[in-house]
Short mmCIF file of all heavy atoms in Angstrom, two decimals:
data_model
loop_
_atom_site.label_atom_id
_atom_site.label_comp_id
_atom_site.label_asym_id
_atom_site.label_seq_id
_atom_site.Cartn_x
_atom_site.Cartn_y
_atom_site.Cartn_z
N HIS A 304 -47.80 65.28 -30.26
CA HIS A 304 -48.02 65.49 -28.82
C HIS A 304 -49.08 64.51 -28.31
O HIS A 304 -48.91 63.87 -27.27
CB HIS A 304 -48.45 66.94 -28.59
CG HIS A 304 -49.14 67.17 -27.29
ND1 HIS A 304 -48.47 67.27 -26.09
CD2 HIS A 304 -50.46 67.28 -26.98
CE1 HIS A 304 -49.34 67.44 -25.10
NE2 HIS A 304 -50.55 67.46 -25.62
N GLU A 305 -50.16 64.41 -29.08
CA GLU A 305 -51.25 63.53 -28.67
C GLU A 305 -50.76 62.08 -28.58
O GLU A 305 -51.14 61.34 -27.67
CB GLU A 305 -52.41 63.65 -29.68
CG GLU A 305 -53.07 65.03 -29.68
CD GLU A 305 -53.84 65.36 -30.97
OE1 GLU A 305 -54.14 64.43 -31.74
OE2 GLU A 305 -54.12 66.54 -31.19
N ALA A 306 -49.88 61.70 -29.50
CA ALA A 306 -49.34 60.33 -29.51
C ALA A 306 -48.55 60.04 -28.23
O ALA A 306 -48.66 58.96 -27.64
CB ALA A 306 -48.45 60.13 -30.73
N ALA A 307 -47.76 61.03 -27.79
CA ALA A 307 -46.93 60.82 -26.60
C ALA A 307 -47.79 60.62 -25.35
O ALA A 307 -47.54 59.72 -24.53
CB ALA A 307 -45.99 62.01 -26.42
N LEU A 308 -48.81 61.44 -25.20
CA LEU A 308 -49.67 61.30 -24.01
C LEU A 308 -50.53 60.04 -24.08
O LEU A 308 -50.72 59.35 -23.08
CB LEU A 308 -50.55 62.55 -23.85
CG LEU A 308 -49.93 63.64 -22.94
CD1 LEU A 308 -48.62 64.15 -23.51
CD2 LEU A 308 -50.90 64.78 -22.72
N MET A 309 -51.02 59.74 -25.26
CA MET A 309 -51.79 58.51 -25.46
C MET A 309 -50.98 57.29 -25.04
O MET A 309 -51.48 56.38 -24.40
CB MET A 309 -52.21 58.41 -26.93
CG MET A 309 -52.85 57.11 -27.35
SD MET A 309 -51.66 55.78 -27.66
CE MET A 309 -50.76 56.39 -29.06
N ALA A 310 -49.67 57.28 -25.41
CA ALA A 310 -48.84 56.10 -25.14
C ALA A 310 -48.74 55.82 -23.64
O ALA A 310 -48.76 54.66 -23.20
CB ALA A 310 -47.45 56.30 -25.75
N GLN A 311 -48.63 56.88 -22.84
CA GLN A 311 -48.57 56.70 -21.39
C GLN A 311 -49.85 56.00 -20.89
O GLN A 311 -49.79 55.09 -20.06
CB GLN A 311 -48.42 58.05 -20.68
CG GLN A 311 -47.14 58.79 -21.01
CD GLN A 311 -45.91 58.14 -20.42
OE1 GLN A 311 -45.94 57.61 -19.31
NE2 GLN A 311 -44.81 58.17 -21.17
N ALA A 312 -50.98 56.45 -21.39
CA ALA A 312 -52.26 55.87 -20.96
C ALA A 312 -52.40 54.44 -21.48
O ALA A 312 -52.94 53.57 -20.78
CB ALA A 312 -53.41 56.74 -21.47
N ALA A 313 -51.90 54.19 -22.70
CA ALA A 313 -51.98 52.84 -23.27
C ALA A 313 -51.15 51.87 -22.43
O ALA A 313 -51.55 50.73 -22.18
CB ALA A 313 -51.48 52.86 -24.72
N LYS A 314 -49.99 52.34 -21.99
CA LYS A 314 -49.10 51.49 -21.17
C LYS A 314 -49.83 51.06 -19.89
O LYS A 314 -49.74 49.91 -19.46
CB LYS A 314 -47.83 52.28 -20.83
CG LYS A 314 -46.88 51.57 -19.88
CD LYS A 314 -46.16 50.41 -20.56
CE LYS A 314 -45.13 49.79 -19.62
NZ LYS A 314 -44.44 48.66 -20.27
N ALA A 315 -50.54 51.99 -19.28
CA ALA A 315 -51.26 51.68 -18.03
C ALA A 315 -52.34 50.64 -18.26
O ALA A 315 -52.70 49.90 -17.34
CB ALA A 315 -51.86 52.96 -17.46
N ILE A 316 -52.87 50.56 -19.48
CA ILE A 316 -53.89 49.55 -19.78
C ILE A 316 -53.24 48.19 -20.06
O ILE A 316 -53.68 47.16 -19.57
CB ILE A 316 -54.74 50.00 -20.99
CG1 ILE A 316 -55.60 51.19 -20.60
CG2 ILE A 316 -55.60 48.84 -21.50
CD1 ILE A 316 -56.36 51.82 -21.77
N VAL A 317 -52.15 48.21 -20.83
CA VAL A 317 -51.51 46.94 -21.21
C VAL A 317 -50.78 46.33 -20.01
O VAL A 317 -50.78 45.11 -19.84
CB VAL A 317 -50.52 47.17 -22.38
CG1 VAL A 317 -49.78 45.88 -22.72
CG2 VAL A 317 -51.27 47.69 -23.61
N ALA A 318 -50.14 47.18 -19.19
CA ALA A 318 -49.38 46.67 -18.03
C ALA A 318 -49.86 47.36 -16.76
O ALA A 318 -49.17 48.21 -16.20
CB ALA A 318 -47.89 46.91 -18.25
N PRO A 319 -51.07 47.01 -16.32
CA PRO A 319 -51.63 47.72 -15.16
C PRO A 319 -50.77 47.51 -13.92
O PRO A 319 -50.28 46.41 -13.69
CB PRO A 319 -53.02 47.09 -14.99
CG PRO A 319 -52.98 45.81 -15.75
CD PRO A 319 -51.97 45.95 -16.82
N GLY A 320 -50.56 48.57 -13.19
CA GLY A 320 -49.81 48.46 -11.94
C GLY A 320 -48.31 48.59 -12.12
O GLY A 320 -47.58 48.83 -11.15
N GLU A 321 -47.83 48.47 -13.36
CA GLU A 321 -46.38 48.60 -13.58
C GLU A 321 -45.98 50.06 -13.46
O GLU A 321 -46.63 50.93 -14.01
CB GLU A 321 -46.01 48.07 -14.98
CG GLU A 321 -44.51 47.98 -15.20
CD GLU A 321 -44.19 47.41 -16.58
OE1 GLU A 321 -44.82 46.39 -16.98
OE2 GLU A 321 -43.33 47.98 -17.26
N ARG A 322 -44.89 50.30 -12.69
CA ARG A 322 -44.47 51.68 -12.50
C ARG A 322 -43.66 52.12 -13.72
O ARG A 322 -42.70 51.47 -14.10
CB ARG A 322 -43.64 51.79 -11.23
CG ARG A 322 -43.46 53.21 -10.81
CD ARG A 322 -43.00 53.34 -9.36
NE ARG A 322 -42.48 54.70 -9.22
CZ ARG A 322 -41.29 54.99 -8.77
NH1 ARG A 322 -40.47 54.03 -8.38
NH2 ARG A 322 -40.89 56.24 -8.69
N VAL A 323 -44.08 53.21 -14.34
CA VAL A 323 -43.37 53.71 -15.52
C VAL A 323 -42.55 54.92 -15.11
O VAL A 323 -43.09 55.89 -14.57
CB VAL A 323 -44.37 54.10 -16.63
CG1 VAL A 323 -43.63 54.69 -17.83
CG2 VAL A 323 -45.19 52.90 -17.04
N VAL A 324 -41.24 54.82 -15.31
CA VAL A 324 -40.39 55.96 -15.00
C VAL A 324 -40.24 56.80 -16.27
O VAL A 324 -39.91 56.27 -17.32
CB VAL A 324 -38.99 55.49 -14.54
CG1 VAL A 324 -38.12 56.68 -14.17
CG2 VAL A 324 -39.13 54.55 -13.36
N PHE A 325 -40.55 58.07 -16.15
CA PHE A 325 -40.43 58.94 -17.32
C PHE A 325 -38.95 59.21 -17.60
O PHE A 325 -38.21 59.63 -16.73
CB PHE A 325 -41.18 60.25 -17.06
CG PHE A 325 -41.05 61.21 -18.21
CD1 PHE A 325 -41.67 60.94 -19.42
CD2 PHE A 325 -40.29 62.37 -18.08
CE1 PHE A 325 -41.55 61.81 -20.48
CE2 PHE A 325 -40.17 63.25 -19.14
CZ PHE A 325 -40.79 62.97 -20.35
N GLN A 326 -38.52 58.92 -18.84
CA GLN A 326 -37.11 59.07 -19.18
C GLN A 326 -36.93 59.79 -20.51
O GLN A 326 -37.84 59.83 -21.33
CB GLN A 326 -36.47 57.67 -19.31
CG GLN A 326 -36.37 56.94 -17.99
CD GLN A 326 -35.77 55.56 -18.17
OE1 GLN A 326 -36.18 54.80 -19.04
NE2 GLN A 326 -34.78 55.25 -17.35
N TYR A 327 -35.72 60.31 -20.70
CA TYR A 327 -35.37 60.99 -21.95
C TYR A 327 -34.46 60.11 -22.81
O TYR A 327 -33.58 59.44 -22.28
CB TYR A 327 -34.66 62.31 -21.66
CG TYR A 327 -35.56 63.32 -20.99
CD1 TYR A 327 -35.46 63.57 -19.62
CD2 TYR A 327 -36.51 64.02 -21.73
CE1 TYR A 327 -36.29 64.48 -19.01
CE2 TYR A 327 -37.35 64.94 -21.12
CZ TYR A 327 -37.24 65.16 -19.76
OH TYR A 327 -38.06 66.07 -19.15
N THR A 328 -34.66 60.17 -24.11
CA THR A 328 -33.81 59.38 -25.01
C THR A 328 -32.37 59.88 -25.00
O THR A 328 -31.44 59.14 -25.30
CB THR A 328 -34.33 59.43 -26.46
OG1 THR A 328 -34.49 60.79 -26.85
CG2 THR A 328 -35.65 58.68 -26.61
N THR A 329 -32.16 61.16 -24.63
CA THR A 329 -30.80 61.72 -24.61
C THR A 329 -29.96 61.10 -23.49
O THR A 329 -28.75 60.99 -23.62
CB THR A 329 -30.84 63.24 -24.37
OG1 THR A 329 -31.92 63.53 -23.50
CG2 THR A 329 -30.99 63.99 -25.67
N SER A 330 -30.62 60.71 -22.38
CA SER A 330 -29.84 60.30 -21.21
C SER A 330 -30.08 58.87 -20.76
O SER A 330 -29.26 58.31 -20.04
CB SER A 330 -30.14 61.26 -20.05
OG SER A 330 -31.55 61.32 -19.86
N SER A 331 -31.18 58.26 -21.18
CA SER A 331 -31.49 56.94 -20.65
C SER A 331 -30.84 55.83 -21.47
O SER A 331 -31.14 55.66 -22.66
CB SER A 331 -33.01 56.74 -20.65
OG SER A 331 -33.31 55.37 -20.54
N THR A 332 -29.95 55.09 -20.84
CA THR A 332 -29.30 53.96 -21.54
C THR A 332 -30.34 52.91 -21.92
O THR A 332 -30.26 52.27 -22.96
CB THR A 332 -28.24 53.31 -20.63
OG1 THR A 332 -27.56 54.34 -19.93
CG2 THR A 332 -27.25 52.51 -21.43
N LYS A 333 -31.34 52.77 -21.04
CA LYS A 333 -32.39 51.79 -21.29
C LYS A 333 -33.14 52.12 -22.60
O LYS A 333 -33.36 51.25 -23.44
CB LYS A 333 -33.37 51.82 -20.11
CG LYS A 333 -34.02 50.50 -19.81
CD LYS A 333 -34.77 50.59 -18.48
CE LYS A 333 -36.07 49.83 -18.59
NZ LYS A 333 -37.04 50.23 -17.56
N LEU A 334 -33.50 53.38 -22.73
CA LEU A 334 -34.20 53.78 -23.96
C LEU A 334 -33.28 53.68 -25.17
O LEU A 334 -33.70 53.26 -26.25
CB LEU A 334 -34.74 55.22 -23.84
CG LEU A 334 -35.83 55.48 -22.80
CD1 LEU A 334 -36.35 56.92 -22.93
CD2 LEU A 334 -36.98 54.50 -22.93
N GLN A 335 -32.02 54.05 -24.97
CA GLN A 335 -31.06 53.99 -26.09
C GLN A 335 -30.86 52.56 -26.56
O GLN A 335 -30.67 52.31 -27.75
CB GLN A 335 -29.74 54.64 -25.69
CG GLN A 335 -29.88 56.17 -25.59
CD GLN A 335 -28.71 56.85 -24.89
OE1 GLN A 335 -27.78 56.18 -24.47
NE2 GLN A 335 -28.78 58.15 -24.76
#
Side-chain angles (χ1 to χ4, degrees):
Chain A
H304 161 78
E305 294 159 17
L308 267 62
M309 171 281 295
Q311 297 290 324
K314 175 73 176 180
I316 291 173
V317 176
E321 189 178 315
R322 194 163 163 235
V323 177
V324 182
F325 178 69
Q326 292 179 311
Y327 293 103
T328 53
T329 35
S330 53
S331 162
T332 320
K333 211 170 141 199
L334 294 187
Q335 288 166 0

